[in-house]
Amino acid sequence: MDGFAAVDFGFAREVLQRGIAALYLVAFVSTLNQFRPLLGEHGLLPAPVLLDWVAQKRERRKLLHPTLFTRVRYTDRRLVALCGAGIVIAALLIAGVPQLGPPWVPMLAFLALWFGYMSVVSIGQTFYSFGWEMLLLEAGFLAAFLGSNDQPPPTVVIVLFWWLLFRLEFGAGMIKIRGGREWRDLTAMTFHHETQPMPGPLSRQAHLLPRWFHKLEVVGNHVAQLVVPFFLFAPLLSLWLPGPVPQIVGAVSGGIVIATQLWLVLTGNFAWLNWATIVLGFSAIGLPGIGTPERTPETSLPWTVSGMPLWWVVVTSAVGALFVVLSVPAVRNLFARRQLMNASFHRWQLANAYGAFGTVTRERIEIVVEGSDDEEGRHWREYEFRGKPGDVRRIPRQFAPYHLRLDWLMWFLPLGHSLDDWFSVFLVRLLEADAPTLRMLRVDPFHGERPRWVRAVSYRYRFTTRAEHRVDGAVWVRTGRRVVLGPVGLR
């Protein structure tokens, strides 16, 4: 590092800019495919209804985070246009086109992604209530100030990425230590691979590993989230200490974060949470001479500081000062007895609090939706979702970083005291054989025809042992069948 310029972090900037843009591309594609049947004009929780309610009283606007749709009336067509624009801008950033211009060009591109996606998240209600939504928003805002290819990355912005990664990892670690006993007695991972919201193709193999290995997983998690994050800031010491040691310490810390997240990628489906953390992990990896332009002598360029335009130094320094102020609640939260998880303290969703899986459920309860097309309701057939477990012989698929929002919320249903309102509307859509709703599913047993009845049945699912799997090839065993709703039909 060289004062205002993080001269050895050009490669880190390349990964951050292109990686974050790629995640925005995934987010907008996911929104394009799923927002309308979930939250559109005829969705399960229509966004226009929420916006009309907010518009009735001025004070209600404060309940929403900023969104374009308080200024421009929401329509499904405008949502599609917004997603299309976001996809195009993200693709250009992945290709590196805006980065070829002056720093204000990629800045405007990332700010457009940030505000465009925040406009969606703000009206997304329960379907957009995940912590990785605000994580993507904050990362996108910071990426706007990484600069262009013809100048080194600003030190203050690289440090802000470390601060974001620190809050993400250390916050998650503190949530676990303060949360369920299973994180303290090292048994959490004994259950996690089986009971996580959406298992992946290798989740069963991970679950069947020896218990001593699962205990090592927990220990490794605690080290990676409670100890390693402090060393992310080690490269700052290079401002005063000569030699490569500070940057090596920072790079090793980032590498440990990346390695632990890759294990989670291999064994689960957590949308873009793990991939975002991996991208952020590269912010700590400084590689001298890679991805950073040759320094131009200061005397040949007026109004420059450390190879950057003076106005850009002022802008990025102002962003740093802004985050110092905005981060005060987040710092307090990290050490609060009642720590908040995935909380935003400001309307613009910056300097947030993060965390995940403070407790791990010990058994997996799945809600299976069935339909019948005979009057007496004697013969029932299952609707199959794309990601959530259903057919006991089907190996879970890999979907992350793509986010299957309906499948995720189906996992939360058995954890609540009552079935959510959106689920009742979902059942009505199935009774109507609503085509957009059915397209979100993997299998419609009635092939577009209306069933006479639908119902919800709960089962306890567990992975088969190796011996059970050899008998019939099943991946899951399900027991404890119980009808929790229905049968219901249309009048």
Side-chain angles (χ1 to χ4, degrees):
M1 287 191 164
D2 182 16
F4 289 101
V7 293
D8 294 330
F9 289 84
F11 173 74
R13 175 174 62 186
E14 290 287 333
V15 176
L16 288 168
Q17 288 180 323
R18 296 171 193 258
I20 292 170
L23 295 176
Y24 269 97
L25 178 65
V26 173
F28 277 112
V29 169
S30 170
T31 297
L32 180 63
N33 292 338
Q34 300 177 65
F35 192 95
R36 285 169 290 170
L38 295 176
L39 296 146
E41 294 172 277
H42 304 288
L44 307 184
L45 295 176
V49 174
L50 171 66
L51 290 165
D52 289 343
W53 178 81
V54 169
Q56 290 173 6
K57 294 184 179 180
R58 178 171 293 182
E59 57 270 20
R60 290 179 180 172
R61 290 198 173 192
K62 297 180 180 179
L63 301 177
L64 278 185
H65 291 291
T67 175
L68 175 69
F69 295 113
T70 56
R71 303 287 183 181
V72 178
R73 183 166 182 82
Y74 174 91
T75 66
D76 285 348
R77 287 188 176 182
R78 287 171 179 164
L79 186 278
V80 170
L82 176 61
C83 291
I87 291 169
V88 170
I89 294 172
L92 290 172
L93 285 163
I94 294 169
V97 175
Q99 295 92 309
L100 297 174
W104 59 265
V105 178
M107 180 188 74
L108 292 180
F110 273 109
L111 290 179
L113 292 180
W114 168 67
F115 186 71
Y117 194 61
M118 183 162 56
S119 294
V120 173
V121 173
S122 298
I123 60 174
Q125 303 169 72
T126 189
F127 291 103
Y128 280 76
S129 61
F130 301 92
W132 48 76
E133 313 287 6
M134 65 175 67
L135 173 62
L136 183 58
L137 289 173
E138 185 170 352
F141 180 85
L142 290 178
F145 302 97
L146 281 168
S148 299
N149 293 345
D150 63 350
Q151 59 192 246
T155 296
V156 64
V157 179
I158 294 295
V159 173
L160 288 177
F161 271 106
W162 300 343
W163 172 230
L164 171 56
L165 183 57
F166 179 90
R167 280 179 284 124
L168 178 62
E169 288 291 276
F170 188 71
M174 292 299 289
I175 281 285
K176 292 177 175 67
I177 287 295
R178 291 166 168 160
R181 180 181 176 183
E182 61 273 11
W183 288 108
R184 296 187 293 275
D185 65 16
L186 308 184
T187 61
M189 300 303 289
T190 305
F191 310 100
H192 166 78
H193 296 296
E194 183 176 73
T195 63
Q196 62 182 303
M198 196 182 304
L202 298 179
S203 297
R204 177 176 167 273
Q205 285 75 8
H207 174 71
L208 295 176
L209 291 170
R211 291 210 170 197
W212 62 263
F213 184 86
H214 293 316
K215 289 188 176 183
L216 281 181
E217 284 184 288
V218 180
V219 172
N221 179 88
H222 289 334
V223 171
Q225 294 191 325
L226 294 173
V227 179
V228 170
F230 288 93
F231 293 95
L232 294 170
F233 300 95
L236 283 175
L237 296 175
S238 64
L239 294 172
W240 303 280
L241 299 178
V245 174
Q247 285 193 190
I248 292 174
V249 172
V252 170
S253 302
I256 292 173
V257 171
I258 292 169
T260 56
Q261 293 300 312
L262 284 173
W263 174 244
L264 295 175
V265 167
L266 288 173
T267 59
N269 272 300
F270 294 98
W272 54 78
L273 173 61
N274 306 127
W275 285 108
T277 309
I278 289 169
V279 171
L280 295 177
F282 277 95
S283 68
I285 298 178
L287 300 175
I290 298 180
T292 301
E294 293 291 330
R295 292 287 298 276
T296 304
E298 299 286 345
T299 55
S300 66
L301 288 175
W303 302 100
T304 61
V305 178
S306 298
M308 297 184 292
L310 178 59
W311 70 268
W312 187 241
V313 173
V314 172
V315 169
T316 54
S317 298
V319 171
L322 173 67
F323 265 80
V324 169
V325 175
L326 295 182
S327 294
V328 172
V331 174
R332 290 174 179 169
N333 181 68
L334 284 174
F335 302 99
R337 180 172 297 180
R338 295 184 177 181
Q339 180 187 356
L340 299 177
M341 182 173 70
N342 298 325
S344 177
F345 304 102
H346 314 282
R347 296 191 70 230
W348 297 96
Q349 302 197 62
L350 303 175
N352 307 306
Y354 300 100
F357 291 97
T359 59
V360 174
T361 53
R362 290 175 176 255
E363 65 176 9
R364 181 179 203 92
I365 305 298
E366 286 288 345
I367 301 295
V368 174
V369 180
E370 299 176 336
S372 174
D373 56 2
D374 59 78
E375 283 294 329
E376 297 78 15
R378 293 178 180 177
H379 304 287
W380 295 89
R381 288 178 276 177
E382 294 184 15
Y383 290 90
E384 289 192 29
F385 292 74
R386 296 184 183 275
K388 74 179 288 296
D391 181 359
V392 296
R393 295 177 181 273
R394 184 171 182 254
I395 298 174
R397 302 299 193 263
Q398 187 67 42
F399 290 97
Y402 191 82
H403 188 10
L404 293 174
R405 300 178 184 279
L406 178 62
D407 297 61
W408 264 80
L409 285 195
M410 288 295 296
W411 180 81
F412 283 102
L413 278 181
L415 305 181
H417 296 294
S418 60
L419 297 178
D420 293 349
D421 291 343
W422 67 264
F423 185 66
S424 300
V425 182
F426 173 66
L427 295 182
V428 172
R429 294 289 187 269
L430 295 182
L431 289 167
E432 296 171 339
D434 179 63
T437 301
L438 293 175
R439 279 196 292 269
M440 292 191 295
L441 304 178
R442 176 175 171 266
V443 173
D444 167 21
F446 303 102
H447 309 290
E449 298 297 322
R450 290 188 177 190
R452 179 66 181 86
W453 308 100
V454 294
R455 68 183 182 185
V457 181
S458 71
Y459 291 93
R460 179 185 179 275
Y461 274 65
R462 65 168 177 83
F463 279 130
T464 55
T465 64
R466 292 184 178 89
E468 290 170 330
H469 181 69
R470 283 194 294 268
V471 172
D472 57 5
V475 177
W476 298 97
V477 172
R478 67 182 190 183
T479 57
R481 178 181 177 279
R482 182 171 68 91
V483 177
V484 295
L485 179 65
V488 295
L490 295 177
R491 295 181 179 178

